[in-house]
Amino acid sequence: MSKLTIRPINTGFVTMIPRQYLYHHSTTAFYPEASDQEEEYPVFTYLVEGGDKLLLVDTGMAYTQRADRYHHHGSFQPEGMAITEQLAKLGYQPEDIEIVVFTHLHWDHCFYMERFTNAQFYVNRKEYEFAMDPIPLYYKSYEAPQLGIIRPFEGISMNLVEGETEIMPGVRVFETPGHSVGHQSVEIDTALGSYICCGDAIFIMDNTKPIEKLHYDITPPNRFSDIVAVWKSIRLIKERAQSLEHILTCHDREMMERIEKTPVLGLTAEGR
């Protein structure tokens, strides 16, 4: 039985307009409650404890001034919510993290990398290659040097993986492209089954819902690099997950309520 556990950590808030970002325009009639105004959404990372090494899935978002100026207007990181500060509350320092696995390299998933001085970083090869030379549409997403700023992964050695790859016993990645060119999800075995940290392959759990009148087996989002790949990736995650509760998103606000009741996932009653 796996001894791994998963601790969701919120690193701040990004602003998004649900009807423009989270729901494809063909689906909004089926989600009348979806707002056309900016709303705040969390930015979760996931700490994996109990394994051979201390592992982190993504490092979270940038500080407020950077996030607001270069990315989503109004995004903010409250005091004490940077990943380094969050780890300190748990009794860890950044140098205690031995492995960091990135779902992708957008700015809200890979900040503060330079603080993790003892970590091995893992990212999908296609994602890294595109992040190093994105088209102008994605300059902000990857903080390209054309903006006059230094991207978080500049000059940092990365382990490039392809396909399904075991990172350490009980933790593996598999490709879920579409939101970004080389997006990948992280599957983690626990005593309560395998959880999938899906990054932005699924923004919110509404994206997993079918719309029978449209013959849709999912609800696609409206932010993507490849809508066909997005669709197939969401299908794959749903098929692979033991249940919807085993899908761990980055931006769903339901996760904030969930961690109030269950701050550590994967624990059996005996393990508590």
Side-chain angles (χ1 to χ4, degrees), residues 43-45 57-62 102-111 179 183 199-200 250-251:
V43 184
F44 275 95
T45 68
V57 178
D58 291 340
T59 57
M61 68 175 284
F102 292 109
T103 58
H104 60 305
L105 292 176
H106 286 176
W107 69 276
D108 55 331
H109 292 260
C110 65
F111 225 77
H179 171 71
H183 192 287
D200 288 357
C250 174
H251 296 299

Side-chain angles (χ1 to χ4, degrees), residues 217-218 230-240:
D217 53 357
I218 65 162
V230 161
W231 203 296
K232 291 181 177 179
S233 290
I234 296 176
R235 276 180 175 171
L236 174 62
I237 292 168
K238 286 181 64 178
E239 291 168 1
R240 191 157 174 156

Side-chain angles (χ1 to χ4, degrees), residues 19 27 47-48 57 61 89 100 115 155 238-239 260:
R19 290 179 72 89
T27 71
L47 179 66
V48 181
V57 178
M61 68 175 284
K89 295 174 188 176
V100 177
R115 299 288 301 277
K238 286 181 64 178
E239 291 168 1
E260 289 293 323

Side-chain angles (χ1 to χ4, degrees), residues 5-262:
T5 60
I6 306 166
R7 192 185 297 270
I9 300 173
N10 183 18
T11 64
F13 298 89
V14 295
T15 54
M16 292 184 276
I17 299 175
R19 290 179 72 89
Q20 293 182 10
Y21 208 96
L22 304 177
Y23 300 88
H24 190 266
H25 58 81
S26 66
T27 71
T28 53
F30 298 88
Y31 293 92
E33 72 282 3
S35 173
D36 60 358
Q37 303 296 316
E38 286 185 348
E39 295 186 353
E40 297 168 4
Y41 288 83
V43 184
F44 275 95
T45 68
Y46 292 91
L47 179 66
V48 181
E49 300 169 289
D52 292 347
K53 296 182 178 181
L54 198 59
L55 182 148
L56 187 64
V57 178
D58 291 340
T59 57
M61 68 175 284
Y63 53 88
T64 298
Q65 293 85 349
R66 182 92 153 214
D68 178 67
R69 179 176 178 182
Y70 291 102
H71 304 294
H72 297 220
H73 173 70
S75 296
F76 64 104
Q77 185 175 77
E79 184 177 352
M81 289 190 71
I83 186 60
T84 52
E85 297 169 306
Q86 297 276 37
L87 289 171
K89 295 174 188 176
L90 300 172
Y92 296 120
Q93 298 301 317
E95 52 267 30
D96 296 329
I97 304 297
E98 296 167 90
I99 298 175
V100 177
V101 184
F102 292 109
T103 58
H104 60 305
L105 292 176
H106 286 176
W107 69 276
D108 55 331
H109 292 260
C110 65
F111 225 77
Y112 301 106
M113 284 180 65
E114 76 284 354
R115 299 288 301 277
F116 295 86
T117 53
N118 293 325
Q120 290 286 317
F121 298 105
Y122 291 83
V123 69
N124 180 271
R125 179 179 295 277
K126 293 190 187 85
E127 181 70 9
Y128 181 74
E129 290 175 350
F130 184 75
M132 293 300 290
D133 186 24
I135 61 173
L137 180 65
Y138 285 97
Y139 281 176
K140 286 188 175 181
S141 297
Y142 294 104
E143 298 205 332
Q146 288 85 346
L147 301 180
I149 55 179
I150 298 174
R151 49 196 165 198
F153 44 90
E154 190 71 46
I156 295 178
S157 177
M158 307 282 274
N159 293 288
L160 307 183
V161 298
E162 298 178 85
E164 182 153 346
T165 304
E166 183 179 70
I167 303 300
M168 75 177 192
V171 180
R172 63 204 148 269
V173 296
F174 61 97
E175 294 182 350
T176 49
H179 171 71
S180 67
V181 171
H183 192 287
Q184 62 185 2
S185 294
V186 186
E187 191 170 43
I188 302 158
D189 298 334
T190 76
L192 296 181
S194 298
Y195 289 83
I196 297 175
C197 299
C198 66
D200 288 357
I202 297 172
F203 281 123
I204 55 176
M205 292 307 292
D206 276 355
N207 296 141
T208 67
K209 295 178 180 178
I211 304 176
E212 293 183 4
K213 288 186 178 180
L214 295 179
H215 308 287
Y216 288 9
D217 53 357
I218 65 162
T219 297
N222 210 36
R223 166 73 165 165
F224 48 82
S225 65
D226 182 337
I227 188 60
V228 176
V230 161
W231 203 296
K232 291 181 177 179
S233 290
I234 296 176
R235 276 180 175 171
L236 174 62
I237 292 168
K238 286 181 64 178
E239 291 168 1
R240 191 157 174 156
Q242 292 180 235
S243 72
L244 292 179
E245 289 189 354
H246 285 79
I247 297 174
L248 306 179
T249 62
C250 174
H251 296 299
D252 200 318
R253 291 183 290 204
E254 291 179 3
M255 184 57 69
M256 293 191 292
E257 300 174 8
R258 185 173 179 180
I259 63 174
E260 289 293 323
K261 299 177 181 177
T262 314

